[in-house]
Amino acid sequence: MSPHPTTPAVAPAAEAPAAEATAGGATAAGAVPFAGVLDWLTEPGAPATVRAPELADAAAARDWLAEHRAELRAGLDRFGAVYVSGLPVRSVDDFAVVRDELVRRATPYREKATPRSDFGSGVFSSTDLPAAQAIRPHNENSYTLTFPGLLLFGCLTAPEEGGATPVTDCREVLRSLPAALVERMRASGWVLTRTYSETLSVAWQSAFGATTREEVEAYCAENAIACAWDEEGTLRTSQVRPGIVRHQQTGDEVWFNHMAFWNRFSLDEELREVLLDELGPDGLPFDTGLGDGVPLTEADLAAVNAAYERATVRRAWQPGDLLIVDNVLTAHGRDPFRGDRRIVVAMGDPVAVADCAPTVAPRAGTVAAVSRG
């Protein structure tokens, strides 16, 4: 795992020349990315960063963000993610105040896949998964027909060790993947298969916000998802989605999916064998493949994970920091950590996959009732 750099001093924009961006948002010799009012810092291994001036409270932070909204958006278009450090954001209420300036329209959390705490007012924990568990890069809700275009993370309590939120340039991922794998994705998309469980993933009631089978079936019919139930009431679903899309504003083509995140070969080998033995090949909580039906190999997934790693940067959290993420241009994850960590998130500015020039149309997959091993 890469080390977690601390935030160095920021040089004024006027004192450094512009430079071309490289992978992960870094520029040569830490040069300023483009002319602007804000003090920008880019450096290898870290996301583009802006240090805020000393501000009195969250209301002052909101006003400062409003003043510089256009430049921050330009930074997002170029780098995919922007770190803003040194803000007086100390509570959920503070975060909601600045959120309302940056995220103008909320996006519901659809087809839930991981546990989150809801703090109200559209503010959630980033994840409630165990601290020792790394979370691989992914684009939030890439499997839904409408997904958040913007993510806003805020640090209320920084962990004692680790716990960064790495960000990954999905343009760079696409450029560095093997051509044959890219062409398979371009032609056929990717398929996600889920088996719902209160113990191994999430129950279908939580995933779909439903109380009856009929509600789930109606949602699936409206959202191009195949579903089936077994005699014990276990639900299984399958959906095919485009894995390569274009950003709706910049036109950049990106690798946009959860394929590596949820593939069986991304599991720890021992855990994978236990789950396959207990649940059978069709009963895993999550599994993925390409839409052409040809099974992915372990080498295929290794190539994708390596491409993500090459395009990933990170910065250690400090209280008050914000991380603004364009969810189409940039994937995000989480490093394992030690100590208390309180990172909150809001999702908004919804985008329809149909507006992103998908290379294949979303469709329902093929699914049968769950068969146990």
Side-chain angles (χ1 to χ4, degrees):
M1 185 175 298
S2 301
H4 314 297
T6 57
T7 305
V10 179
E15 295 180 7
E20 289 302 314
T22 60
T27 61
V32 172
F34 50 81
V37 174
L38 296 174
D39 292 341
W40 288 87
L41 174 72
T42 58
E43 60 179 350
T49 299
V50 172
R51 186 181 293 280
E54 187 172 343
L55 299 165
D57 53 23
R62 176 198 60 209
D63 294 343
W64 180 83
L65 291 166
E67 180 183 356
H68 300 293
R69 181 181 177 85
E71 189 173 339
L72 291 169
R73 180 66 252 182
L76 274 180
D77 289 344
R78 180 154 185 174
F79 297 105
V82 174
Y83 221 98
V84 183
S85 66
L87 291 170
V89 175
R90 304 179 181 91
S91 67
V92 169
D93 289 342
D94 288 346
F95 179 78
V97 168
V98 298
R99 183 274 318 275
D100 288 344
E101 175 53 41
L102 294 172
V103 182
R104 299 291 176 82
R105 183 181 171 197
T107 304
Y109 183 31
R110 299 182 178 92
E111 300 173 42
K112 296 177 184 177
T114 57
R116 295 181 190 267
S117 297
D118 185 345
F119 299 126
S121 302
V123 178
F124 299 87
S125 62
S126 58
T127 179
D128 293 340
L129 290 173
Q133 182 175 340
I135 299 176
R136 293 179 181 271
H138 61 285
N139 305 88
E140 195 69 34
N141 281 158
S142 71
Y143 48 91
T144 57
L145 300 185
T146 300
F147 44 80
L150 194 69
L151 308 176
L152 181 65
F153 295 88
C155 179
L156 304 184
T157 303
E160 185 177 335
E161 181 180 309
T165 299
V167 288
T168 307
D169 185 337
C170 294
R171 296 163 290 193
E172 180 66 20
V173 173
L174 180 62
R175 286 192 292 264
S176 66
L177 282 168
L181 188 60
V182 170
E183 288 312 306
R184 287 178 66 192
M185 179 68 87
R186 192 183 301 280
S188 63
W190 67 290
V191 59
L192 167 64
T193 302
R194 295 180 62 177
T195 302
Y196 300 79
S197 164
E198 292 183 3
T199 55
L200 294 177
S201 57
V202 295
W204 59 262
Q205 293 91 337
S206 176
F208 293 98
T211 57
T212 67
R213 293 189 184 189
E214 290 75 16
E215 290 175 301
V216 172
E217 291 165 0
Y219 179 93
C220 290
E222 292 170 2
N223 288 274
I225 303 171
C227 66
W229 308 84
D230 72 3
E231 65 279 0
E232 297 177 356
T234 301
L235 172 66
R236 190 163 181 248
T237 62
S238 179
Q239 58 219 78
V240 178
R241 299 294 185 253
I244 298 175
V245 301
R246 288 192 180 274
H247 190 271
Q248 67 280 11
Q249 293 174 330
T250 70
D252 290 321
E253 196 172 44
V254 299
W255 183 262
F256 180 82
N257 54 77
H258 271 68
M259 188 177 73
F261 183 80
W262 277 327
N263 189 268
R264 65 181 64 190
F265 289 121
S266 288
L267 290 169
D268 173 81
E269 182 177 2
E270 184 176 347
L271 174 61
R272 179 172 69 246
E273 294 306 318
V274 169
L275 290 175
L276 287 172
D277 184 61
E278 181 177 339
L279 304 173
D282 297 331
L284 293 175
F286 303 93
D287 204 7
T288 66
L290 286 168
D292 59 13
V294 179
L296 287 165
T297 66
E298 193 165 1
D300 291 331
L301 264 294
V304 178
N305 286 325
Y308 276 126
E309 183 61 30
R310 287 191 295 271
T312 294
V313 295
R314 51 176 50 80
R315 187 175 293 283
W317 282 113
Q318 297 295 327
D321 289 352
L322 296 181
L323 176 61
I324 313 168
V325 177
D326 186 302
N327 186 44
V328 178
L329 297 176
T330 305
H332 68 282
R334 188 199 68 183
D335 288 342
F337 65 94
R338 185 168 60 85
D340 190 20
R341 179 184 188 270
R342 197 174 188 210
I343 307 297
V344 292
V345 65
M347 303 179 286
D349 296 359
V351 175
V353 68
D355 295 332
C356 296
T359 62
V360 299
R363 69 178 190 275
T366 302
V367 64
V370 181
S371 63
R372 298 296 179 185

